[in-house]
Amino acid sequence: MTELFAPLSEVIHARKSVRKFDSEYQIAPEVIEDMLQEATLAPSSSNLQPWRFIVIQDEEAKKKIKEFSFNQEQMETSSAIIAVIGDTEMYHNIDEIYLSNLKAGNIDETNVKIQIDNAKALYPNAPTDARLTIAAFDAGLVSMQLMLIAKAKGYDTVPMGGFDKAQFAKEFNLEDRYAPLVLIALGKAAAPAYGSTRLPLEKITTFI
């Protein structure tokens, strides 16, 4: 059966940051997997896809995260917390990604060699801070895409950057190369989200 979705503009306007979720509502892991699969179609720098995900549905783990996330209610009441992690050593995947692209017929052998050589010359030699900036930017792209996909499927989300990232990394035994960037609470709203306004376009945009 073909799944019908609302027009993109309608989804964008409907998405709100929900902070009160129905704690009884559970989303099956395979449904979350499908959403993540679609979300990873987001663009990334040199297509290196420096995002990683930890999907947290265990109730004790959610309570633990709440302790170092300013006790935000949504940490416990959501169906899942999706941690978006940035891989600052994304260059380890250069061969796998580009050769996969070659195998899929998206590029020829001459150009894939050029891309691999260029990426290997750039990313391993870039400062860690620069790679973290790249990973954070790309994580923003995949996170926004995930939240819109969730809304299109009838779910609600709220992104959270306010948590102790060092404590999170310690709790989940993350290697130094992995940086926790954002937590996304996912579930069904138990109360309407607050509305919010935006700055006038003329204040933030210049046409030249």
Side-chain angles (χ1 to χ4, degrees):
M1 180 184 292
T2 301
E3 202 167 1
L4 299 177
F5 296 112
L8 177 58
S9 180
E10 186 177 319
V11 173
I12 290 171
H13 284 83
R15 187 215 60 82
K16 305 292 181 186
S17 291
V18 167
R19 291 174 174 81
K20 191 173 184 63
F21 291 89
D22 179 355
S23 60
E24 299 299 315
Y25 190 90
Q26 295 300 312
I27 302 174
E30 56 268 25
V31 174
I32 298 175
E33 285 180 0
D34 287 345
M35 288 190 282
L36 287 171
Q37 190 70 56
E38 280 192 288
T40 58
L41 295 175
S44 61
S45 180
S46 301
N47 192 34
L48 291 184
Q49 307 160 52
W51 43 64
R52 302 292 179 268
F53 307 101
I54 302 176
V55 180
I56 303 151
Q57 293 189 284
D58 178 79
E59 293 303 322
E60 290 304 313
K62 286 159 65 178
K63 288 178 183 177
K64 194 71 175 177
I65 295 171
K66 184 181 177 184
E67 292 176 9
F68 50 83
S69 303
F70 304 103
N71 289 311
Q72 298 176 77
E73 179 185 359
Q74 60 267 27
M75 292 296 182
E76 281 192 80
T77 60
S78 60
S79 178
I81 301 294
I82 299 176
V84 184
I85 313 296
D87 182 3
T88 63
E89 295 183 13
M90 68 287 276
Y91 52 81
H92 290 300
N93 301 303
I94 288 173
D95 286 321
E96 179 181 355
I97 289 170
Y98 288 132
L99 292 178
S100 174
N101 213 22
L102 173 66
K103 186 176 180 180
N106 295 325
I107 193 170
D108 59 48
E109 290 189 10
T110 299
N111 282 303
V112 79
K113 184 180 185 308
I114 292 171
Q115 288 194 359
I116 288 174
D117 290 345
N118 287 344
K120 286 184 175 180
L122 175 62
Y123 287 91
N125 297 310
T128 302
D129 285 351
R131 296 198 304 268
L132 177 58
T133 298
I134 291 169
F137 180 86
D138 292 345
L141 295 175
V142 79
S143 295
M144 189 70 251
Q145 190 137 303
L146 174 61
M147 288 187 287
L148 290 176
I149 290 166
K151 190 61 188 176
K153 292 179 179 290
Y155 304 113
D156 298 289
T157 57
V158 58
M160 298 163 285
F163 64 102
D164 189 325
K165 296 175 175 61
Q167 185 64 36
F168 184 95
K170 181 180 179 181
E171 184 68 27
F172 290 93
N173 299 312
L174 297 184
E175 297 176 37
D176 289 344
R177 66 187 273 188
Y178 297 115
L181 296 170
V182 63
L183 303 178
I184 300 174
L186 170 70
K188 278 281 190 179
Y194 292 111
S196 59
T197 60
R198 295 295 183 269
L199 291 168
L201 194 63
E202 59 269 20
K203 186 171 183 176
I204 61 173
T205 306
T206 301
F207 283 87
I208 299 174

